[in-house]
Amino acid sequence: MTYVIAQNCCNDTSCVQACPVGCIHPTPDEAGFATAEMLYIDPAACIDCAACVDVCPVNAVYAEDELPEPFTRYAEINAAYFRANPTRHLPLRIADRPRAKDDQETLRVAIVGAGPSGFYAAEELLRTATVPVEVSMFDRLPTPFGLVRAGVAPDHPHTKAVAGLFRWVAAHPNFHTFYNVEVGSYLSHDDLLAHHHAVVYAFGAAQSRRLGVPGEDLPGSHSATDFVGWYNGHPDFANRVFDLSGTRAVIVGNGNVALDVARILLRDVDDLATTDIAEHALSALAESNISDVVLLGRRDLAHAAYTTPELLAFGALDGIDVVVDPRDLHGHLAAEDFAGRLKTEVLEDLAHNNRGGGKRLVLRFQVSPVEIVGSDRVEAVRIGSNRMVTDASGAAVAEATGATETLATGLALRSIGYLGKGLPGLPFDERSGTLPNVGGRVIDPMTGQTVPGMYAAGWIKRGPSGVIGTNRTDSAETVSALLDDHEAGNLPCPTATAGDFVTLLEQRQPARVNREHWQRIDEHELALGLSSGRPRIKLTDHNDMMRLAGLAGTSNR
Ligand code: NAP
């Protein structure tokens, strides 16, 4: 018997580290790990020890003979990965850190951003450092967990289960909570560094990229990021209004965010009512007329940006057909890798298995929007056809053919990726939307030198790619660099004490949310959920959160 990794895989490599025979790939040191859709177990090498099952934070590993119905295909997908990528199995090598010397002073680290990459960095520091460590965690919102709370779709509770690990971190006695404290507004980098040896920036990539086509700002044209924030109850987006009165929505882009948004638009509202989706979104979706969601992919099906497990999950939903134009099934470039071949195969299967469900996810390929059309609001999207070509670097890219068509719709959502934004006083690369860095050490672009005590992790370090667990290895790399620098005596020494810091913060932002305040909000949301048969009902208004935390009227602003 063998174990099999299925749809919920979060790529956080807990299983890779636990596997005694090293049969789970790709590993963080292998090519392709950063872009891997998921991890796979080699059935020929698995020794049936279940070590991977015990450590998986999202319950994605199953015994082959216990795979639930929607996941049976994953036994073959795991095996196929190793036929396409013959791999030598070796248990992961984990280097020992030097033993702590006696009487070492406490290493104080500030982490800015309480999302997955920030929490993974905190976990790595608290778990692996051989010196005493104190972590101060900052977030501009009163609630932690970043994209796990406000990005992961509400109907993906397995992915949200990773927050279990973050709760362990949040409860650690050496972890200090400073939520509702915006760095760059209440505190500067210099303030943080005066009281800590190092600062890890892990504040993600919150902006959405723009298309740059006429009509993009018409009412009815939005970024998918706003829509995701809205249905997830992010306070910045809770008051947004989306017109769901038409029957068709058009989404530009075909990444996993586009699939999330399409699913929320098309899923049965009774199913959504069992999740932690925001109340206002549930009410609006209950009145929605949308029955067709059209995804516009600029490249062909072999190069679609979504991951196969997400498309497979879509295909398993009752009442929704996945529709593909037969021309798209043929006129594409041959897939050059395992992921591309699997995408092509799965899409062909789905397209030939329509069950006449009533609602439709329509996948268009090799098309790009050239204009959002309308006089005072969105009435249509004009799209241009593309052909696939190989550019000078060998990459498969789309090239416009000049032919266009018009697709009527009242709702256009652009889902073409996120973009990071800089903070005052930090170096920033506008083109990639990241803090310039080498392996997590932030560098000054003028000199190429590292900035002592300044680090980056997650999307603001590498750009908006990968799934939640991808951030674990990314943050571990940053923390390893930070600990090496500490060991080598290369970190600046704080000039003020931890006590001084609390005094400074009392002056700057008395409405800071500490662990106990957040627990009040958390318990309140969970209790509301329990009484309605839902995992939680989120507070979506900042003032309500402050009232519940007992901090109403305390802010300096
Ligand atoms: P993404 O995966 O980068 O997809 C962006 C899409 O926009 C691609 O289809 C891209 O096409 C297209 N695009 C970019 N610029 C365009 C333009 N000017 N015109 C037309 N199309 C354009 O981004 P994402 O969907 O925002 O996801 C971000 C990351 O979060 C991804 O790594 C994703 O896997 C992850 N995520 C995971 C989950 C999950 O696991 N359930 C859920 C949500 C997000 P090209 O491919 O041709 O560039």
Side-chain angles (χ1 to χ4, degrees):
M1 215 259 302
T2 175
Y3 283 88
V4 174
I5 303 182
Q7 184 206 320
N8 304 323
C9 178
C10 73
N11 294 32
D12 87 340
T13 70
S14 303
C15 54
V16 175
Q17 289 165 37
C19 178
V21 292
C23 72
I24 305 178
H25 293 263
T27 58
D29 54 343
E30 285 173 346
F33 171 78
T35 53
E37 297 204 327
M38 55 179 282
L39 306 180
Y40 309 87
I41 295 176
D42 187 348
C46 174
I47 58 167
D48 187 18
C49 69
C52 49
V53 181
D54 295 341
V55 297
C56 177
V58 293
N59 300 322
V61 190
Y62 296 84
E64 185 179 9
D65 56 4
E66 290 172 7
L67 274 168
E69 173 55 35
F71 296 160
T72 46
R73 187 173 191 153
Y74 283 90
E76 169 52 19
I77 290 177
N78 277 235
Y81 174 81
F82 291 95
R83 286 199 297 277
N85 301 282
T87 311
R88 215 156 60 92
H89 301 308
L90 285 173
L92 198 68
R93 245 179 281 144
I94 300 170
D96 272 349
R97 288 216 152 264
R99 270 178 63 89
K101 298 183 199 95
D102 291 340
D103 66 29
Q104 277 177 307
E105 77 164 315
T106 299
L107 170 65
R108 278 187 268 148
V109 180
I111 299 180
V112 180
S117 53
F119 266 98
Y120 281 128
E123 186 226 354
E124 188 74 12
L125 276 164
L126 294 168
R127 206 171 40 81
T128 67
T130 54
V131 292
V133 180
E134 298 270 342
V135 173
S136 310
M137 173 76 84
F138 298 82
D139 202 283
R140 73 181 187 87
L141 291 180
T143 51
F145 306 152
L147 282 183
V148 171
R149 179 178 168 103
V152 173
D155 60 344
H156 274 15
H158 289 287
T159 310
K160 287 175 187 266
V162 72
L165 172 72
F166 304 159
R167 283 172 181 275
W168 173 86
V169 176
H172 196 286
N174 292 7
F175 179 91
H176 307 284
T177 308
F178 301 94
Y179 304 149
N180 204 35
V181 179
E182 184 164 12
V183 172
S185 172
Y186 295 103
L187 294 169
S188 66
H189 174 72
D190 289 345
D191 292 329
L192 292 178
L193 209 56
H195 300 83
H196 299 84
H197 294 84
V199 186
V200 178
Y201 288 98
F203 52 85
Q207 300 188 108
S208 53
R209 287 185 183 275
R210 289 185 59 83
L211 277 167
V213 300
E216 192 169 2
D217 295 318
L218 279 171
S221 166
H222 312 265
S223 85
T225 325
D226 293 9
F227 190 74
V228 170
W230 173 74
Y231 67 62
N232 273 324
H234 189 299
D236 291 357
F237 305 99
N239 295 324
R240 296 293 167 92
V241 176
F242 297 91
D243 181 358
L244 308 178
S245 62
T247 54
R248 179 190 282 153
V250 173
I251 305 180
V252 181
N254 63 11
N256 282 338
V257 169
L259 277 190
D260 280 351
V261 168
R263 231 178 33 254
I264 297 301
L265 283 168
L266 291 174
R267 268 200 95 148
D268 193 317
V269 174
D270 290 342
D271 292 340
L272 293 177
T274 63
T275 72
D276 68 356
I277 189 169
E279 293 278 87
H280 54 249
L282 198 56
S283 310
L285 288 163
E287 302 297 318
S288 166
N289 291 326
I290 306 274
S291 57
D292 264 30
V293 176
V294 183
L295 256 59
L296 306 180
R298 63 179 167 180
R299 295 192 289 161
D300 60 4
L301 74 172
H303 300 90
Y306 55 71
T307 55
T308 297
E310 291 304 311
L311 187 66
L312 276 174
F314 218 120
L317 291 176
D318 282 336
I320 307 173
D321 282 338
V322 179
V323 178
V324 193
D325 187 319
R327 283 170 301 176
D328 285 334
L329 288 176
H330 300 294
H332 60 87
L333 288 182
E336 60 273 352
D337 60 358
F338 173 71
R341 284 193 293 277
L342 189 62
K343 273 181 183 144
T344 311
E345 190 185 307
V346 164
L347 199 61
E348 282 169 353
D349 286 359
L350 284 174
H352 291 125
N353 277 323
N354 287 344
R355 294 156 295 176
K359 291 186 179 178
R360 306 190 320 156
L361 169 72
V362 181
L363 297 173
R364 298 288 307 270
F365 295 95
Q366 292 174 237
V367 285
S368 295
V370 291
E371 182 183 358
I372 312 288
V373 183
S375 40
D376 53 7
R377 58 161 299 104
V378 173
E379 291 162 22
V381 179
R382 200 155 63 82
I383 56 181
S385 294
N386 300 329
R387 68 170 77 87
M388 290 298 294
V389 293
T390 308
D391 73 7
S393 71
V397 297
E399 186 180 83
T401 64
T404 62
E405 64 181 290
T406 301
L407 213 51
T409 185
L411 180 63
L413 298 164
R414 62 174 193 280
S415 182
I416 59 169
Y418 290 76
L419 189 65
K421 191 177 161 198
L423 270 187
L426 308 190
F428 193 65
D429 178 358
E430 295 287 345
R431 201 187 44 80
S432 63
T434 58
L435 301 180
N437 71 91
V438 175
R441 291 182 178 97
V442 174
I443 56 166
D444 178 343
M446 304 300 283
T447 62
Q449 300 294 309
T450 57
V451 183
M454 192 187 281
Y455 299 85
W459 280 6
I460 200 63
K461 168 185 171 187
R462 68 175 195 278
S465 66
V467 293
I468 297 287
T470 313
N471 294 301
R472 187 164 180 215
T473 27
D474 178 288
S475 293
E477 178 191 51
T478 298
V479 167
S480 177
L482 189 160
L483 292 175
D484 286 349
D485 292 348
H486 181 58
E487 177 72 17
N490 290 339
L491 293 184
C493 271
T495 50
T497 66
D500 295 338
F501 185 63
V502 173
T503 310
L504 176 75
L505 209 54
E506 282 302 321
Q507 294 159 6
R508 300 275 183 86
Q509 171 52 318
R512 76 115 157 158
V513 168
N514 65 21
R515 180 161 30 202
E516 195 189 330
H517 300 138
W518 168 61
Q519 277 171 344
R520 281 186 213 151
I521 298 170
D522 190 40
E523 284 164 17
H524 179 78
E525 291 186 343
L526 289 170
L528 283 180
L530 195 65
S531 62
S532 316
R534 300 176 55 191
R536 78 169 54 232
I537 293 182
K538 289 179 194 163
L539 296 183
T540 60
D541 181 80
H542 188 268
N543 291 331
D544 289 346
M545 294 188 206
M546 287 296 103
R547 255 194 305 281
L548 210 94
L551 292 167
T554 53
S555 179
N556 273 350
R557 308 236 163 140

